[in-house]
Amino acid sequence: MLFNSYPFILLFLPAALAGYFWLGRRSNLTPVIWLALASLTFYAIGNWQFVALLLLSIAFNYGVGHLLIVAELVPSQRKTALILGVAGDLLVLGIFKYAGFATENVNALFGTHLAVHILLPVGISFYTFTQIAFLMDAYRGQVAAYALPHYALFVTYFPHLIAGPILHHKDMIPQFEWEESKRPHAHLILCGIIIFAIGLFKKTCLADGIQPLVALAFEARSPSFDQAWLGALAYTFQLYFDFSGYSDMAIGISLMFGIFLPVNFNSPYKATSIVEFWRRWHMTLSQFLRDYLYIPLGGNRRGRVLRYVNLMLTMLLGGLWHGAAWTFVAWGALHGAYLCVNHAFNALMPNVPPLLARPGRMIGAGLTFLAVVIAWVFFRAESVTWALRVLHAMADPTNIVFGREEIAALVQVAIYAALVWLAPNTQKIMGYDHASRRVGESLPAGRMRPLVLSAASLVLAFGILGIQSHSEFIYFRF
Amino acid sequence: MRGSFTSLKRLLLASGLCLLGAAVLTYTVDPLQLFRPSPQAFYSDDTRVQNAGLIRSQSFDTAFMGTSLAIHFRQSDIDRALRVQSLKLAMTGSNSRQQAFVLDQAIGRGARRVIWAMDDFIFVDAADIEADPYLSVDLYRGTAKGIASYLFSAAMAKESLFSLLRSVPPLQQPLARAAPYLPVKFALDDVDDIYALPRDFDIVRDYNAGKTLAAFAYITSPVRSRFLGEGYGYDAMVRHFEQDAVGLITRHPDVTFDIYFPPYSILQFVAMRDASPQTLKIVTDLTAHVAQRLTQLPNVRLHDFRAIKSVTHDLNNYSDVIHHSPVIDAKVLGWLASGEYRVDPKRPTASLDELKAQIEAYRVRQP
């Protein structure tokens, strides 16, 4: 089921909210079970064939977690349980996500004709990572024993299940246990609807609106210089509005249930360096990769060279997490290289003279954006060859068309660039603070309030009007 | 708490009003001319949507259908050459199911003659029209769902607002001039201009042997040649032909169908010959079947332009291996008018046999 669909907005969400708050008046546990069942229903609509896999994954991880938390195992047994748990998760992910890719490469290397046809279960990358983090924290002794309904809801919670944000059990389960969240809170519902409206508008009007321009670069046989740049920039903005729109909708929906989700985007294209970009883009994935991959690999604790090796490894695996294709490996490798260069530069020039700080930041922002756009070409292209063709066109200013279509595309791209660089982001507009569980306090009161509500109602209306046909989120396929 | 609940109600109510306001705006301006024709209307190149409005708002006796091969024709040229009042409904990348559906709607609105540029590849993939995400059958049929999706649409509200602004006298001229360069769809002020190339278009720059040979090299490259026959299957294509083309023609015995096989460059077939012979066999077998079937139908005149050597062997007429220049568009209209290349029902595959001989004999000259 899609957030940007009439059945979700007009039927599923109101029913889920009504049931949750109605049951919340009677007990603290039944709303959790209700929400877990609603989440499974949400997942089953369109993905029913993968429900069993999701339930098996929950049961397996809860069981291993139970061993690590409750059973009194000796250290070697605990380690074995963790290895089994993580290996089991990675094996399932490997089979469903990477078996086809591995087979393709075996065929290419050895000239064989093996064929593997396995459908990718929606959301598998997200719920696998969420649960690996749970197991590792359980092993480290950082997890209290959770009740099964709460754990099941933590994994299946429908606002995040399919495309994140990647949740942390320590953040979520206490909120599910909290009695106060089961009572309707008008302020949270109001703020939730406004945040949802902004996300919906981002998806249906902005991301879907610029999507046709992407074809200029990625569906043309030999794009010109201007077409390649316009297509690459269009995809840069489409991806941002698509994914950050989804994250806003997830945060908004969750807020209506009284649950605060972590922020996933913080104006990433305003970053002045690649290091900063990764603190602003898909923030929950960055945190996961840092805490559960980069740091366990040794992080920056074993010298400069190993730090760069760890960075490269982390980004390569991060790339592969997005999809089983060499284009994602190339994308990860590029970002790994960018990060190494960024850290090396910081080590060489630890202090920038104050006079150069401002122009340095501006140059940094420009270079960072350029580097990110180039990397997105690999992320979007069907193959590495295709990506290289687009990049080749982007580097050949002798071949320019700049006709009517390209000028119209340029105007549209310029409008999107202005929005991305000049407009405040959703959490700024709404004063959303995940850590302190605050929202909407910055919204103007008194005479300005009707104006804000009018603007919000317009955004919601246009978000709904933008729903045309089945338009999936880009991150659903990861 | 009470204040927040009041705000919540107001927000939802205001959103509802905005939705209604947008619907009223679209209904009033009616950019597609779905409810009423308008002399001040503007037109869009998004033909799958635009055609729904054209069929309802334009007067015509002849419908012109095809894919990108037929997209650059001008209605005024068709009218002049064939002495008809035509409506061009060609859609880039369209399949036989979409074409048959749109033609059916046009016939229902008064078309007594159909000119159909019939490419073999339209029969490759003909998905269920009722679930086609690219062509809204409800919009064409004017069902409640179709009308609602038109009225409650952000894109149409944006177009309506722009049309409204363009109707304000001081803004009329500057916005009409700027419209083609702005991200708005309804930018053309003449129905004749839909997808037509400008009168001053540099034909030699875009249609020349260099481009045609480059396209040939591209599609026959070993890494891509397997795409030449992707989806081609004789049985399925015959089935689609029978359902879409024959089904439509036999349902409308009072309508005359002028169907033609477009004059692709010889390289289209040579590419198949060299890189995918099984695809060439499917194409020739299919078009033999099509020719035999269509020439038996009393309301069909079939024309085959594929073996006109003076055109198909002159690679300067093309921008790739199939798309011909507007110069050839004009010739096509002339041939249709004269009936010079009409297929003889007694020898339905004569031109195909000639084409096969040409394909076999042709040797590619590198630039």
Side-chain angles (χ1 to χ4, degrees):
Chain A
M1 191 176 244
L2 295 170
F3 291 165
N4 53 326
S5 66
Y6 294 117
F8 176 81
I9 294 170
L10 301 177
L11 294 173
F12 182 86
L13 184 59
L17 280 166
Y20 181 73
F21 291 128
W22 185 75
L23 290 168
R25 284 190 294 188
R26 283 151 186 81
S27 93
N28 194 30
L29 182 64
T30 47
V32 171
I33 297 170
W34 165 263
L35 208 45
L37 289 174
S39 299
L40 282 173
T41 309
F42 173 87
Y43 187 76
I45 297 172
N47 304 293
W48 59 269
Q49 64 272 50
F50 302 124
V51 173
L53 181 70
L54 174 63
L55 290 174
L56 269 174
S57 173
I58 292 169
F60 173 73
N61 283 282
Y62 186 73
V64 176
H66 191 77
L67 279 178
L68 291 169
I69 299 161
V70 180
E72 291 174 1
L73 304 176
V74 295
S76 63
Q77 289 173 319
R78 285 174 60 76
K79 196 159 196 168
T80 309
L82 173 73
I83 290 169
L84 277 178
V86 174
D89 283 333
L90 292 179
L91 183 70
V92 172
L93 188 64
I95 290 169
F96 281 95
K97 191 159 179 171
Y98 301 105
F101 179 54
T103 312
E104 265 177 39
N105 286 297
V106 167
N107 286 342
L109 275 175
F110 302 108
T112 50
H113 299 282
L114 303 171
V116 174
H117 300 290
I118 300 176
L119 285 176
L120 177 69
V122 175
I124 190 169
S125 309
F126 287 94
Y127 68 70
T128 303
F129 268 33
T130 303
Q131 296 189 100
I132 287 176
F134 165 73
L135 292 184
M136 288 180 75
D137 286 350
Y139 175 74
R140 291 168 184 165
Q142 296 168 349
V143 181
Y146 298 133
L148 180 60
H150 293 86
Y151 179 78
L153 178 57
F154 155 65
V155 179
T156 60
Y157 189 42
F158 76 87
H160 94 109
L161 174 60
I162 292 172
I166 296 171
L167 302 182
H168 201 275
H169 54 93
K170 273 194 276 190
D171 178 29
M172 297 307 296
I173 293 183
Q175 292 196 74
F176 295 143
E177 290 169 340
W178 197 35
E179 214 163 312
E180 190 61 27
S181 69
K182 276 93 179 181
R183 296 193 192 101
H185 197 294
H187 177 70
L188 293 186
I189 295 175
L190 176 68
C191 291
I193 288 178
I194 296 176
I195 293 175
F196 176 79
I198 295 172
L200 185 66
F201 182 82
K202 279 183 179 177
K203 166 64 183 164
T204 63
C205 293
L206 298 179
D208 290 352
I210 202 165
Q211 185 262 336
L213 300 191
V214 177
L216 281 174
F218 294 97
E219 279 167 35
R221 190 192 302 154
S222 49
S224 61
F225 174 76
D226 48 337
Q227 288 168 340
W229 271 104
L230 287 166
L233 286 169
Y235 183 67
T236 301
F237 295 131
Q238 184 207 357
L239 185 64
Y240 170 65
F241 284 118
D242 190 278
F243 195 18
S244 77
Y246 178 89
S247 297
D248 286 350
M249 280 189 258
I251 290 170
I253 293 163
S254 189
L255 206 53
M256 294 180 216
F257 291 95
I259 309 286
F260 283 74
L261 290 188
V263 170
N264 221 10
F265 288 89
N266 183 18
S267 305
Y269 294 146
K270 291 177 187 168
T272 56
S273 69
I274 284 289
V275 173
E276 193 189 345
F277 173 80
W278 279 105
R279 288 188 190 128
R280 289 166 171 262
W281 176 274
H282 203 174
M283 294 151 73
T284 55
L285 176 69
S286 305
Q287 283 153 18
F288 180 92
L289 291 175
R290 185 196 62 201
D291 295 344
Y292 298 99
L293 191 58
Y294 176 67
I295 292 174
L297 279 171
N300 58 3
R301 301 187 305 276
R302 293 178 189 163
R304 199 169 287 171
V305 175
L306 274 180
R307 176 196 203 174
Y308 296 147
V309 171
N310 291 338
L311 271 174
M312 280 303 291
L313 267 177
T314 305
M315 294 315 290
L316 278 171
L317 289 171
L320 212 49
W321 174 86
H322 281 86
W326 286 110
T327 47
F328 292 110
V329 177
W331 174 77
L334 258 183
H335 270 283
Y338 291 162
L339 283 169
C340 291
V341 170
N342 196 161
H343 282 293
F345 181 81
N346 289 349
L348 283 172
M349 297 250 317
N351 298 311
V352 179
L355 198 68
L356 294 176
R358 196 179 159 82
R361 273 202 304 276
M362 286 170 71
I363 293 168
L367 283 176
T368 302
F369 184 71
L370 187 70
V372 168
V373 173
I374 288 168
W376 285 143
V377 172
F378 285 95
F379 198 83
R380 171 61 177 79
E382 295 289 321
S383 64
V384 173
T385 319
W386 201 285
L388 292 174
R389 191 180 312 144
V390 174
L391 288 173
H392 186 261
M394 288 165 75
D396 179 16
T398 56
N399 178 18
I400 294 181
V401 174
F402 213 55
R404 189 183 76 80
E405 199 185 345
E406 287 74 24
I407 296 172
L410 180 65
V411 171
Q412 196 170 352
V413 164
I415 294 168
Y416 278 64
L419 271 176
V420 160
W421 285 314
L422 304 178
N425 60 38
T426 310
Q427 56 267 30
K428 267 248 164 68
I429 294 169
M430 291 305 296
Y432 183 83
D433 186 348
H434 164 250
S436 63
R437 309 277 190 254
R438 284 163 194 260
V439 63
E441 291 177 7
S442 58
L443 276 181
R447 277 190 308 172
M448 286 296 282
R449 197 171 171 89
L451 209 69
V452 172
L453 287 179
S454 305
S457 59
L458 253 182
V459 170
L460 178 60
F462 267 83
I464 292 172
L465 286 169
I467 299 171
Q468 277 298 293
S469 54
H470 189 85
S471 170
E472 277 197 355
F473 292 90
I474 294 172
Y475 260 68
F476 274 23
R477 65 188 79 135
F478 306 140
Chain B
M1 185 71 142
R2 177 169 292 176
S4 288
F5 266 121
T6 311
S7 298
L8 191 57
K9 276 187 221 158
R10 281 188 186 153
L11 172 76
L12 295 176
L13 190 68
S15 291
L17 288 174
C18 290
L19 288 172
L20 280 178
V24 169
L25 175 69
T26 302
Y27 178 78
T28 310
V29 176
D30 192 16
L32 258 185
Q33 303 180 73
L34 216 51
F35 304 116
R36 64 199 87 85
S38 162
Q40 278 93 42
F42 288 84
Y43 300 90
S44 152
D45 275 339
D46 185 356
T47 48
R48 281 172 177 75
V49 175
Q50 178 65 82
N51 285 349
L54 291 180
I55 289 171
R56 282 168 180 266
S57 63
Q58 308 291 307
S59 14
F60 58 94
D61 56 28
T62 298
F64 186 89
M65 180 51 82
T67 61
S68 53
L69 275 290
I71 205 81
H72 295 315
F73 281 88
R74 281 183 179 275
Q75 284 181 185
S76 52
D77 293 339
I78 301 169
D79 294 355
R80 220 175 5 256
L82 302 175
R83 298 177 193 284
V84 293
Q85 193 174 7
S86 66
L87 180 65
K88 185 179 78 176
L89 298 168
M91 300 172 285
T92 53
S94 51
N95 61 39
S96 59
R97 194 70 34 96
Q98 294 171 336
Q99 294 186 1
F101 173 79
V102 173
L103 281 175
D104 208 15
Q105 300 297 310
I107 291 168
R109 287 265 164 185
R112 305 274 46 96
R113 185 175 174 186
V114 167
I115 300 165
W116 196 343
M118 191 173 276
D119 301 293
D120 53 74
F121 49 81
I122 63 170
F123 300 112
V124 168
D125 177 27
D128 179 16
I129 194 75
E130 301 298 325
D132 192 326
Y134 304 107
L135 191 144
S136 165
V137 291
D138 288 303
L139 191 65
Y140 280 81
R141 289 176 184 145
T143 63
K145 189 180 167 199
I147 299 296
S149 72
Y150 172 55
L151 293 180
F152 293 97
S153 154
M156 284 301 168
K158 183 189 82 176
E159 297 295 338
S160 301
L161 192 62
F162 189 76
S163 290
L164 203 64
L165 287 174
R166 208 164 25 187
S167 66
V168 178
L171 298 174
Q172 223 161 22
Q173 286 299 320
L175 284 183
R177 268 199 304 272
Y181 307 104
L182 295 176
V184 286
K185 278 190 171 179
F186 290 80
L188 308 167
D189 55 7
D190 187 346
V191 69
D192 206 36
D193 289 337
I194 295 176
Y195 251 116
L197 298 173
R199 298 278 184 199
D200 58 352
F201 184 76
D202 185 352
I203 292 175
V204 177
R205 194 193 70 182
D206 278 51
Y207 295 87
N208 56 62
K211 291 189 91 168
T212 311
L213 283 166
F216 174 78
Y218 182 85
I219 60 170
T220 51
S221 142
V223 289
R224 279 179 291 269
S225 57
R226 67 193 156 97
F227 296 119
L228 267 175
E230 201 176 28
Y232 277 71
Y234 178 78
D235 292 337
M237 290 172 83
V238 166
R239 213 168 42 245
H240 295 152
F241 162 71
E242 291 291 335
Q243 184 181 340
D244 300 328
V246 177
L248 179 77
I249 294 162
T250 50
R251 269 202 313 279
H252 300 286
D254 52 333
V255 175
T256 305
F257 286 82
D258 273 299
I259 297 175
Y260 70 87
F261 294 139
Y264 306 140
S265 86
I266 188 70
L267 291 187
Q268 162 76 350
F269 301 105
V270 172
M272 292 180 190
R273 179 196 71 186
D274 294 350
S276 183
Q278 66 279 17
T279 308
L280 180 62
K281 174 144 177 45
I282 292 171
V283 167
T284 50
D285 287 354
L286 173 79
T287 50
H289 174 83
V290 170
Q292 279 154 357
R293 278 291 271 143
L294 291 183
T295 47
Q296 300 310 311
L297 298 172
N299 55 334
V300 174
R301 293 189 292 240
L302 179 65
H303 310 257
D304 192 345
F305 304 142
R306 293 175 300 171
I308 307 174
K309 207 170 170 182
S310 60
V311 170
T312 61
H313 285 52
D314 180 354
L315 303 183
N316 285 316
N317 286 326
Y318 300 89
S319 63
D320 53 36
V321 294
I322 52 171
H323 292 95
H324 54 70
S325 77
V327 176
I328 308 304
D329 284 355
K331 288 190 174 177
V332 164
L333 293 176
W335 298 329
L336 283 170
S338 66
E340 194 182 342
Y341 293 99
R342 190 170 163 191
V343 176
D344 181 355
K346 291 184 198 130
R347 297 189 309 126
T349 58
S351 57
L352 177 63
D353 295 337
E354 199 180 327
L355 173 67
K356 283 181 180 173
Q358 289 176 6
I359 298 166
E360 207 164 313
Y362 193 84
R363 294 291 166 266
V364 181
R365 272 169 293 172
Q366 293 305 323

